Amino acid sequence: MYTLLVFYSANGSTELPLPKKCQRYRDIFNMLNISDLIDIQTLSESSELEFKLAHGKDGTGKLPEDFWPTYCAMANSRGGYVVLGIQEKKGKFNVVGIQNVEVVKKQLFDIANNKKKVNVNLLSDHSVKVLDIEAQSVLVVEIPAARREQKPIYLNNQPILETYVRLHEGDRKCSEEQVRRMMAEQVEDSRDNRILKNFDMSDIQIESLQAYRRLLSVAKPGHPALELGHFEFLRSVGGWAKDRQSGQEGMTLAGILMFGTWEAIRDAAPNYFVDYQERPEAKTELRWVDRICPDGTWSGNIFDFYRRTYRKLTEDLKVPFELKDGIRQDETQVHTALREALVNTLVHADYSGRLSVLVVKRPDLFGFRNPGLMRIPPEQAIKGYESDCRNRLMHQMFLMIGAGERSGSGIPKIFSGWKWANWRVPRLHEKSELEQTLLELSIVSLVSEETAAILNQKFGSKVDKLNELERSIVITAAAEGWVDHERACQLTSLHSREVTLALPKLVNHGFLIPHGSKRDKSYTLPGVEASRLLMKFSQLIRYL
């Protein structure tokens, strides 16, 4: 979903001066333009939306106690909306309204500013709007996603016990491990610049460092660091650092993860594990025909994993070559996209997490998983221009040898490379369970002969009469077996409200059949059983 940074004024006016950095959100400003129960039903299926009663015992209006766990959960996740004054029961909605809206608004801000109740107030007058629906007044509260530096948002001065995250439509208490991870993310802009005690050059795999130097000499032949000895070279690229405030100096976590021996890596990051698997069939779960993982035959460090895995990913890549100034280029935009996907996975991974870095190569797709959620919303990462890299030293090390892209341009490069090859739009998404980020790169044509035949058989020429967004959704449902709101959003540059409105329209016109409810809802073409939906890469990893 989109996280809106600005909402409505208290008097209902939408003409508000926006901060310069928020101008891009103007096109999403009317995301919650609710006027009737049909709007409520439609938006509830796909937005981060919660409905609560707020009429109190006497019926005049009272802020419900369960508002605050939802506030924390949405703030610690991707933000969302709470609509007060509407009753939801088994998917049906009843507008109850709030008799005294101003009383509820005052309670909202009084409690939000009470540090004993909630540690951070993210709300302002612009966050609230009063709507009239069916002659009843309801209150819409927009809760922005908290910045990384503000998390965790918690209640009653108890971060370990009362921190919540959003899981589908529910609010779930965080584990102590999750809370501590938020706290670490809060204070550490870069997770890999931590100076490690009692590590030295004996913990570095010299062969890895030498290989890195060779790549640097190719990428930047005149780089002054190439004249240095191994220790000074490592210091120059960020593998060794000094804290000027404390005077402490030593090997950085980035230096050990990137170039370290397996023994040193296990001591520095006990949960670290990197894994590449090549599978012979699209639906294989446990079988693999080729694998790269730390097994004692090689260093196991990130740089060596990158070199070995990139060769495997591209060695039999079947894509048309490119010409530049009449000269054939062996490396295409697809090569660039795969390299960026691999580097992106490695430099954004949370190596304190319990999951491994996983790269899967199948006949139908490339899959990338890294532990840890993204620091910016996936929707924004796809658009580019913003980045918050978790391991900035390692990112810089890759940049020096020409691997990876500058901040904010990596994900768009992946999408443009796949578009160049006329393959299906990549799928970038997160899973709150075990906190992981997933990228699926299908190597199947978006509109294959088989897909075209299916569409022609079911709809004839009707598909040609759909607009571009609707046509993309129907084609994706035909090609991939299913589509959901999140996937449909990745097919267009339009904001999510347009997708939200397009899906029920396609259902009403017979192009799609819905399965499930609300945020678990997915859509297939008519005649496709829900049980036969293609298994997603994110489901496959459960069995690894």
Side-chain angles (χ1 to χ4, degrees):
M1 64 160 289
Y2 287 98
T3 299
L4 304 193
L5 300 186
V6 177
F7 204 61
Y8 300 84
S9 67
N11 63 11
S13 171
T14 58
E15 296 299 323
L16 292 173
L18 295 177
K20 186 175 182 180
K21 68 179 180 179
C22 298
Q23 294 297 321
R24 63 181 175 278
Y25 293 102
R26 278 192 182 277
D27 63 336
I28 319 169
F29 195 70
N30 292 318
M31 176 65 197
L32 215 61
N33 186 19
I34 298 174
S35 59
D36 54 32
L37 283 175
I38 295 176
D39 282 341
I40 292 172
Q41 180 68 54
T42 300
L43 289 169
S44 71
E45 293 177 354
S46 51
S47 297
E48 193 70 77
L49 200 60
E50 180 84 8
F51 300 93
K52 296 182 184 294
L53 285 172
H55 60 297
K57 292 182 179 180
D58 59 3
T60 61
K62 183 179 186 298
L63 186 70
E65 280 294 324
D66 62 356
F67 171 86
W68 294 107
T70 300
Y71 168 88
C72 291
M74 289 182 172
N76 286 323
S77 302
R78 295 301 185 198
Y81 303 94
V82 177
V83 183
L84 300 173
I86 293 181
Q87 183 182 47
E88 179 186 6
K89 194 172 185 179
K90 295 183 179 180
K92 302 295 182 181
F93 298 92
N94 179 35
V95 181
V96 177
I98 304 172
Q99 185 174 330
N100 197 333
V101 173
E102 293 304 318
V103 169
V104 176
K105 284 178 65 175
K106 185 176 186 305
Q107 292 170 349
L108 174 69
F109 286 105
D110 285 348
I111 299 175
N113 288 309
N114 181 358
K115 295 291 185 181
K116 292 182 179 180
K117 179 63 179 180
V118 58
N119 64 317
V120 178
N121 175 22
L122 298 171
L123 305 178
S124 69
D125 286 341
H126 302 162
S127 305
V128 180
K129 184 185 180 182
V130 178
L131 296 179
D132 290 325
I133 303 177
E134 298 187 348
Q136 300 285 350
S137 295
V138 302
L139 195 66
V140 179
V141 183
E142 188 269 336
I143 302 170
R147 299 191 310 273
R148 171 175 55 82
E149 298 85 357
Q150 294 172 313
K151 296 179 183 178
I153 308 298
Y154 53 87
L155 301 177
N156 303 317
N157 289 322
Q158 298 188 80
I160 301 299
L161 297 178
E162 295 203 48
T163 296
Y164 299 81
V165 290
R166 195 79 173 156
L167 184 63
H168 300 291
E169 304 94 44
D171 307 323
R172 185 187 68 183
K173 279 191 175 183
C174 293
S175 65
E176 182 175 345
E177 182 180 357
Q178 285 178 296
V179 175
R180 296 198 183 283
R181 189 174 295 119
M182 286 187 199
M183 291 176 172
E185 294 277 358
Q186 178 191 80
V187 299
E188 296 176 344
D189 284 341
S190 179
R191 298 293 301 276
D192 64 348
N193 64 358
R194 176 164 53 92
I195 296 175
L196 305 174
K197 294 181 180 180
N198 303 319
F199 287 78
D200 54 34
M201 286 300 292
S202 66
D203 296 305
I204 295 297
Q205 188 79 27
I206 296 300
E207 292 81 2
S208 301
L209 194 63
Q210 289 174 327
Y212 179 86
R213 293 181 70 138
R214 288 193 294 270
L215 288 182
L216 180 60
S217 68
V218 172
K220 300 178 180 179
H223 198 288
L226 295 170
E227 305 297 325
L228 303 174
H230 288 328
F231 174 75
E232 292 300 330
F233 177 85
L234 187 66
R235 181 198 292 269
S236 72
V237 299
W240 183 281
K242 179 178 181 179
D243 185 327
R244 294 188 179 277
Q245 291 186 336
S246 67
Q248 179 187 0
E249 63 179 307
M251 203 71 68
T252 63
L253 179 61
I256 292 297
L257 294 181
M258 193 77 165
F259 306 115
T261 64
W262 180 236
E263 181 181 6
I265 292 172
R266 283 183 299 175
D267 290 339
N271 291 330
Y272 170 94
F273 197 80
V274 288
D275 195 357
Y276 164 84
Q277 296 182 16
E278 184 173 341
R279 302 177 186 169
E281 299 175 17
K283 296 184 180 180
T284 299
E285 294 170 7
L286 296 176
R287 288 183 56 207
W288 47 265
V289 294
D290 194 7
R291 189 178 190 187
I292 300 172
C293 63
D295 59 3
T297 63
W298 60 289
S299 68
N301 63 45
I302 286 175
F303 178 65
D304 286 345
F305 178 76
Y306 161 77
R307 290 194 299 152
R308 289 166 176 252
T309 299
Y310 180 69
R311 286 196 295 266
K312 295 287 186 182
L313 290 173
T314 59
E315 63 185 1
D316 56 355
L317 199 58
K318 296 179 177 62
V319 293
F321 62 83
E322 290 185 274
L323 292 176
K324 184 177 182 181
D325 299 328
I327 300 174
R328 174 173 173 161
Q329 305 296 305
D330 290 330
E331 184 168 287
T332 68
Q333 293 184 47
V334 171
H335 290 80
T336 301
L338 284 173
R339 183 171 59 242
E340 176 56 33
L342 179 57
V343 170
N344 194 72
T345 299
L346 295 171
V347 302
H348 286 280
D350 181 354
Y351 292 102
S352 67
R354 296 187 180 278
L355 288 177
S356 66
V357 167
L358 176 65
V359 180
V360 171
K361 180 179 180 180
R362 294 189 339 203
D364 62 325
L365 63 73
F366 299 95
F368 300 83
R369 177 189 75 187
N370 64 260
L373 303 177
M374 298 185 68
R375 285 183 161 189
I376 62 172
E379 297 88 350
Q380 188 57 47
I382 292 169
K383 292 181 179 180
Y385 309 113
E386 287 191 20
S387 179
D388 189 358
C389 185
R390 184 170 276 115
N391 300 294
R392 299 180 185 181
L393 285 180
M394 284 192 288
H395 188 210
Q396 182 61 32
M397 291 174 185
F398 278 115
L399 287 176
M400 289 178 66
I401 58 173
E405 298 294 330
R406 289 289 175 185
S407 296
S409 62
I411 299 297
K413 273 284 181 70
I414 297 171
F415 275 66
S416 65
W418 245 240
K419 183 177 181 180
W420 172 84
N422 197 33
W423 287 333
R424 296 178 190 171
V425 178
R427 175 175 167 82
L428 175 67
H429 58 118
E430 300 172 302
K431 289 186 67 179
S432 298
E433 300 91 337
L434 297 178
E435 296 190 352
Q436 53 192 291
T437 301
L438 301 148
L439 173 65
E440 300 170 43
L441 302 179
S442 170
I443 54 176
V444 178
S445 174
L446 180 59
V447 190
S448 63
E449 291 183 7
E450 180 183 359
T451 300
I454 292 173
L455 293 173
N456 184 62
Q457 177 187 2
K458 289 184 177 294
F459 310 116
S461 61
K462 293 181 180 179
V463 175
D464 298 330
K465 299 177 182 179
L466 299 174
N467 63 37
E468 183 178 353
L469 170 60
E470 293 166 345
R471 190 162 51 249
S472 296
I473 292 172
V474 173
I475 289 172
T476 299
E480 300 182 2
W482 61 277
V483 69
D484 61 8
H485 185 272
E486 179 186 39
R487 179 62 171 144
C489 285
Q490 297 184 350
L491 305 175
T492 178
S493 60
L494 299 174
H495 59 72
S496 62
R497 179 178 172 82
E498 299 304 318
V499 172
T500 299
L501 299 176
L503 288 169
K505 180 181 176 182
L506 290 170
V507 170
N508 292 336
H509 286 81
F511 288 97
L512 298 177
I513 300 296
H515 305 276
S517 62
K518 295 193 176 179
R519 291 182 64 80
D520 286 329
K521 181 170 282 190
S522 60
Y523 302 82
T524 67
L525 297 187
V528 178
E529 297 178 16
S531 60
R532 296 181 60 193
L533 299 180
L534 293 179
M535 184 170 284
K536 307 175 188 178
F537 175 73
S538 55
Q539 293 172 315
L540 284 174
I541 62 171
R542 297 177 187 173
Y543 305 103
L544 297 176

